Amino acid sequence: MTTAQEKFQCLLRELFQFDCADLDFGVYRIMNHKRDALEKFISEELPEAIAKKLHGGALADQARAAQTLVELDAQIRETLGRKALDGDGNLIKFQETEIGKRYLNIRAKAAGARNLDALEADVFNHLYSFFRRYYQDGDFISKRRYSRREHYAIPYNGEEVHLHWANHDQYYIKTAEHFQDYTFTADGVTVHFKLVAADVEQNNVKGDKRLFIPRVKETAWDENTGQLVIPFEYRPLTEQETITWPGNAKQDKISADAVAALPEQLKGMDRPLRAMTAERSRNSDNEPVSFLEHHLRQYTRRNTSDFFIHKDLKGFLSRELDFYLKNEVLNLDEMEAAGEYRAEGWFQITRAIKSVGMDIIEFLHQIESFQKMLWEKRKFVTETHYCIAVGVIDERFYPDIAKCDAQWKEWKELLHIDEEQDNLFTNGKSRKERRAAFLKAHPTLMIDTKYFDNNISESIIETINEIDGTTDALLIHSENYQALNVVLEKYRNDIECIHIYPPYNTATSGFLYKNEYQHSSWLAMMENRVALNTNLLNNNGSFLCHIDENEYERLH
């Protein structure tokens, strides 16, 4: 049977994402670095802290009184006779004796008192109830509950009332779909995960959630080279697959089943793949997973882990803990019935819950603040390229452009050009000379500097005066929140028109919201980005947004 302490410790490991310990990217890498310290806090420091806070003061006195009462009960029955006390422990006679007076005094102090083990369980249960209330699927969500008679309760401090959506104080983070192949080597075996088909949403119609499905039967093993190739497709589940993999954590279940279903001919080479990994790589049942399954989780979770980042997790949880203590722990009716002597112990329990709760909140705050810092930090531009009309480029660079086959290949694919045509003007010329002549005859062709080495690209750009002033368009490939942060200072109050095309958040578009807060998650995503957008507009600027009736009013 799981004790209250063990139950709460399991929740803490979930809060600190111990089930993601096998992931080694982003914030998970930081979590892994601190995992030993967190485990020590959960398994050793936490029980010691609670015991220390309860094994003293009024609670300890009450517990000792309860124990003394048991001892006096036995002593009275032995010295004054068994009939001196009734079945409920009431002293029937000998009340005026010294031992009788002492018994009555101790009994008054011990009335309703519980032993320290029960008090510790009470503290663990309250901590569990509080953190479980606000934590779900990796995020802390505002889910205030009112267990008393109130149907509606709005905290009011004399200011104007402001109504917010549940996730208004969070950033919504959408994991990008990289769709990159993945390779790892173990004990002489090299494994390749190859994405062979990706069914992605088109035209704002997302449909069902998509997952990475291994094509196990198409797995290829080359014993001579030690190469194993597992093909994947990215698509929604079929009706039968939905039955096979019900509930949550579908992707991890799919990965586990894929490992178990590897073709029989691979059984002789899979020792390093099926062997148990490091202790931290465990499944939802807290069992170690194979090396292959470990890497499958790494591969799939990079593309499927959407989450929120709280802007002020410490402030949020501190306020909610204060509310919880006042409404769930400090029950004035029960305190009044228990009597004045019990009140001090009641407050001691409250202080213990608050003290330990704030320690845990501080741990969570440090992790969340680190994620927030990474998210809000302006990102580096990884690479910059220019599209430049041939006519504005100095002709001394034409030979370099003529040699760039990648650029000419793109022109042929996009524009169907034929620079190899033989006519009166190109007859007898080399391929390089014919291309140079073609460039002079077509000054509106646009080169893309990504096809040239850095020396040539930089030399071309240096010959153009006021490159920013002559650039008439800017295209950024980025997560949109980060892109807006990058250009904010350069284009603040300078944009005349902004046009956005967000998810409609309808039943058919399937916006990937969290925790069943469909509209709230959508609003959090929109507010984060629209707030930055409006800082770019000039005084006469226009903001246009494609939307339908489902979120029209909320967008306003």
Side-chain angles (χ1 to χ4, degrees):
M1 181 176 178
T2 304
T3 65
Q5 175 180 324
E6 293 169 340
K7 183 179 177 181
F8 181 56
Q9 287 172 327
C10 288
L11 175 62
L12 285 181
R13 293 185 179 95
E14 183 181 348
L15 261 62
F16 292 117
Q17 301 186 42
F18 275 37
D19 60 328
C20 300
D22 56 336
L23 304 183
D24 192 31
F25 58 88
V27 73
Y28 300 112
R29 184 170 295 175
I30 306 300
M31 297 284 288
N32 291 335
H33 182 67
K34 297 293 184 180
R35 200 160 305 279
D36 290 342
L38 290 172
E39 178 58 42
K40 183 179 180 182
F41 169 77
I42 293 171
S43 60
E44 299 177 19
E45 296 174 6
L46 174 65
E48 291 175 1
I50 292 179
K52 183 177 180 181
K53 294 180 185 302
L54 297 182
H55 285 68
L59 290 176
D61 291 341
Q62 292 170 14
R64 283 194 292 269
Q67 180 61 36
T68 303
L69 188 66
V70 173
E71 296 171 357
L72 281 176
D73 184 290
Q75 186 178 348
I76 287 174
R77 294 179 189 278
E78 181 180 347
T79 59
L80 301 179
R82 294 191 172 278
K83 294 183 178 180
L85 296 170
D86 64 15
D88 296 324
N90 297 312
L91 189 63
I92 300 174
K93 49 186 178 179
F94 306 112
Q95 290 92 338
E96 299 301 322
T97 64
E98 182 177 346
I99 192 172
K101 291 179 180 180
R102 185 181 176 206
Y103 178 83
L104 293 174
N105 182 46
I106 295 295
R107 192 167 190 269
K109 290 183 177 181
R114 293 176 294 168
N115 62 41
L116 291 176
D117 289 339
L119 293 173
E120 285 186 9
D122 196 28
V123 172
F124 280 116
N125 281 328
H126 274 300
L127 288 169
Y128 178 88
S129 297
F130 171 74
F131 285 103
R132 171 52 70 192
R133 171 176 298 186
Y134 297 99
Y135 180 80
Q136 184 177 347
D137 297 335
D139 293 308
F140 287 92
I141 308 296
S142 179
K143 292 187 286 188
R144 178 171 287 186
R145 299 170 185 171
Y146 301 92
S147 59
R148 308 284 165 77
R149 296 179 181 177
E150 298 90 343
H151 294 290
Y152 306 97
I154 299 177
Y156 181 64
N157 59 3
E159 299 176 350
E160 291 296 324
V161 174
H162 298 278
L163 300 179
H164 299 283
W165 56 93
N167 307 111
H168 77 278
D169 51 0
Q170 296 172 308
Y171 293 115
Y172 175 80
I173 313 301
K174 174 69 173 71
T175 304
E177 295 169 345
H178 297 294
F179 300 130
Q180 295 176 343
D181 293 337
Y182 182 99
T183 300
F184 71 93
T185 301
D187 199 19
V189 175
T190 300
V191 181
H192 306 277
F193 299 153
K194 296 286 187 181
L195 190 67
V196 296
D199 175 14
V200 297
E201 60 271 11
Q202 298 291 332
N203 300 323
N204 204 35
V205 180
K206 295 198 174 189
D208 297 328
K209 182 178 180 180
R210 290 154 172 78
L211 298 168
F212 289 87
I213 314 296
R215 292 182 177 177
V216 176
K217 293 182 179 179
E218 299 177 21
T219 301
W221 162 240
D222 188 331
E223 188 172 2
N224 295 325
T225 62
Q227 302 281 323
L228 175 66
V229 178
I230 303 178
F232 283 79
E233 50 187 343
Y234 182 71
R235 58 170 174 78
L237 296 180
T238 64
E239 185 175 347
Q240 180 57 47
E241 288 171 339
T242 303
I243 297 173
T244 303
W245 297 301
N248 299 320
K250 288 184 174 64
Q251 187 65 71
D252 287 348
K253 294 175 183 176
I254 292 170
S255 298
D257 287 352
V259 173
L262 278 175
E264 288 297 322
Q265 63 266 30
L266 304 180
K267 297 298 174 71
M269 50 69 61
D270 64 356
R271 182 184 59 80
L273 305 180
R274 295 182 191 270
M276 294 303 178
T277 65
E279 182 68 15
R280 67 180 190 172
S281 298
R282 292 177 172 268
N283 59 22
S284 57
D285 296 324
N286 201 33
E287 299 170 342
V289 301
S290 69
F291 201 61
L292 180 57
E293 187 175 341
H294 161 78
H295 282 278
L296 280 170
R297 285 155 61 98
Q298 290 267 28
Y299 173 59
T300 57
R301 288 202 186 184
R302 284 176 179 267
N303 294 283
T304 58
S305 300
D306 287 19
F307 58 98
F308 285 113
I309 294 178
H310 219 291
K311 297 176 183 177
D312 181 18
L313 182 62
K314 184 176 181 179
F316 166 69
L317 287 179
S318 298
R319 290 190 300 271
E320 295 301 316
L321 179 60
D322 183 65
F323 178 85
Y324 178 87
L325 292 172
K326 292 175 181 176
N327 286 268
E328 303 289 343
V329 180
L330 290 178
N331 188 320
L332 296 180
D333 293 335
E334 292 181 10
M335 289 178 63
E336 184 178 6
E340 182 179 344
Y341 182 73
R342 288 284 313 282
E344 185 178 349
W346 212 302
F347 282 109
Q348 188 177 345
I349 290 177
T350 303
R351 286 194 297 269
I353 295 171
K354 183 172 183 178
S355 176
V356 174
M358 289 304 299
D359 286 343
I360 296 169
I361 288 172
E362 184 61 38
F363 271 111
L364 295 168
H365 166 69
Q366 292 177 24
I367 297 168
E368 197 79 354
S369 294
F370 182 78
Q371 293 190 80
K372 178 188 172 189
M373 181 270 292
L374 292 179
W375 177 250
E376 293 181 335
K377 181 180 176 63
R378 284 199 177 93
K379 302 302 185 287
F380 293 108
V381 177
T382 56
E383 56 182 356
T384 303
H385 302 293
Y386 290 85
C387 291
I388 307 172
V390 169
V392 302
I393 299 175
D394 193 302
E395 290 189 7
R396 72 174 185 269
F397 295 107
Y398 284 12
D400 294 313
I401 299 174
K403 290 188 297 183
C404 185
D405 289 333
Q407 178 65 83
W408 289 90
K409 179 181 179 182
E410 181 185 75
W411 283 338
K412 289 180 179 180
E413 292 175 351
L414 297 178
L415 307 174
H416 303 287
I417 67 170
D418 182 12
E419 88 288 2
E420 303 293 343
Q421 59 185 338
D422 192 11
N423 55 37
L424 180 64
F425 302 100
T426 60
N427 187 32
K429 294 182 178 294
S430 66
R431 180 184 185 186
K432 181 179 178 181
E433 292 172 324
R434 288 198 301 271
R435 283 185 172 182
F438 189 90
L439 293 174
K440 292 179 182 180
H442 297 84
T444 59
L445 277 176
M446 303 291 290
I447 73 161
D448 189 336
T449 58
K450 73 178 181 181
Y451 293 121
F452 300 86
D453 65 44
N454 290 336
N455 291 332
I456 295 175
S457 298
E458 291 173 3
S459 298
I460 292 174
I461 293 170
E462 286 174 358
T463 63
I464 303 174
N465 295 326
E466 297 294 331
I467 185 70
D468 284 345
T470 56
T471 300
D472 55 9
L474 175 65
L475 178 65
I476 301 176
H477 179 68
S478 167
E479 200 285 332
N480 48 24
Y481 180 88
Q482 304 301 340
L484 291 168
N485 259 323
V486 168
V487 303
L488 181 59
E489 295 307 318
K490 184 175 180 61
Y491 296 105
R492 184 185 291 273
N493 302 326
D494 196 39
I495 304 298
E496 295 182 358
C497 179
I498 294 175
H499 182 193
I500 67 173
Y501 188 40
Y504 285 178
N505 201 20
T506 62
T508 55
S509 70
F511 178 77
L512 192 58
Y513 53 88
K514 297 277 290 185
N515 302 306
E516 300 180 357
Y517 286 84
Q518 178 175 2
H519 299 298
S520 180
S521 300
W522 186 87
L523 282 168
M525 186 275 293
M526 291 295 291
E527 190 275 338
N528 296 163
R529 291 146 178 85
V530 171
L532 287 175
N533 264 310
T534 54
N535 290 325
L536 296 172
L537 287 173
N538 62 27
N539 292 334
N540 298 315
S542 300
F543 183 88
L544 308 177
C545 176
H546 276 271
I547 202 66
D548 68 4
E549 68 280 359
N550 196 57
E551 294 291 0
Y552 175 80
E553 293 181 354
R554 295 177 183 84
L555 180 64
H556 277 256

